[in-house]
């Protein structure tokens, strides 16, 4: 049986849980109805069913950032942080679309 392709995957993501940075080169993965935030070594920082996740664009950050709440904890995700990807804004938008598409709550401002 083949495994399903992830609905969203991004590497080089800065993952912060106020007031500290957890990783500057993390991974965000949405697969099989779950959202996982991981370190660059693949260790899971936090994981939750996507339908229980809320995500949006914070007014206080750049266009490449989103805020996601998993299990009652807020995380700031800055896409393309490590390698300064020119498509970081689009990647953040695709993340919000993937959360919404997988049954989570997403808002853009």
């Amino acid at each position: 049986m083949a495994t399903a392709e992830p609905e969203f995957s991004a590497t080089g993501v800065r993952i912060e849980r106020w007031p500290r940075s957890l990783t500057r080169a993390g991974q965000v993965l949405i697969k099989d109805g779950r959202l996982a935030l991981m370190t660059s070594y693949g260790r899971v920082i936090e994981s939750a069913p996507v339908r229980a996740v809320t995500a949006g664009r914070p007014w206080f950050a750049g266009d490449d950032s989103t805020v996601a709440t998993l299990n009652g904890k807020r995380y700031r995700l800055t896409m393309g942080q490590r390698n300064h990807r020119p498509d970081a804004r689009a990647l953040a938008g695709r993340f919000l679309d993937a959360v919404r598409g997988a049954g989570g709550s997403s808002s853009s401002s």
Side-chain angles (χ1 to χ4, degrees):
M1 181 174 174
T3 24
E5 288 293 314
E7 291 95 51
F8 179 84
S9 179
T11 57
V13 179
R14 181 182 187 108
I15 301 173
E16 298 171 283
R17 181 159 179 246
W18 290 278
R20 64 182 249 232
S21 175
L22 302 175
T23 181
R24 291 183 291 165
Q27 181 176 5
V28 177
L29 182 69
I30 297 176
K31 185 174 180 180
D32 299 329
R34 290 195 68 82
L35 170 64
L37 305 179
M38 298 178 283
T39 66
S40 58
Y41 299 107
R43 184 181 61 81
V44 175
I45 296 168
E46 191 81 38
S47 176
V50 179
R51 69 185 182 291
V53 171
T54 58
R57 287 192 193 265
W59 61 268
F60 53 83
D63 291 336
D64 59 349
S65 291
T66 61
V67 172
T69 304
L70 291 80
N71 303 318
K73 299 175 194 157
R74 285 181 52 167
Y75 294 90
R76 180 174 167 184
L77 311 174
T78 306
M79 305 293 170
Q81 177 73 27
R82 178 154 186 167
N83 50 7
H84 304 288
R85 292 176 59 153
D87 64 341
R89 178 189 170 126
L91 194 58
R94 286 199 313 270
F95 168 72
L96 295 175
D97 290 344
V99 168
R100 189 179 316 110
S105 174
S106 171
S107 62
S108 296
S109 52

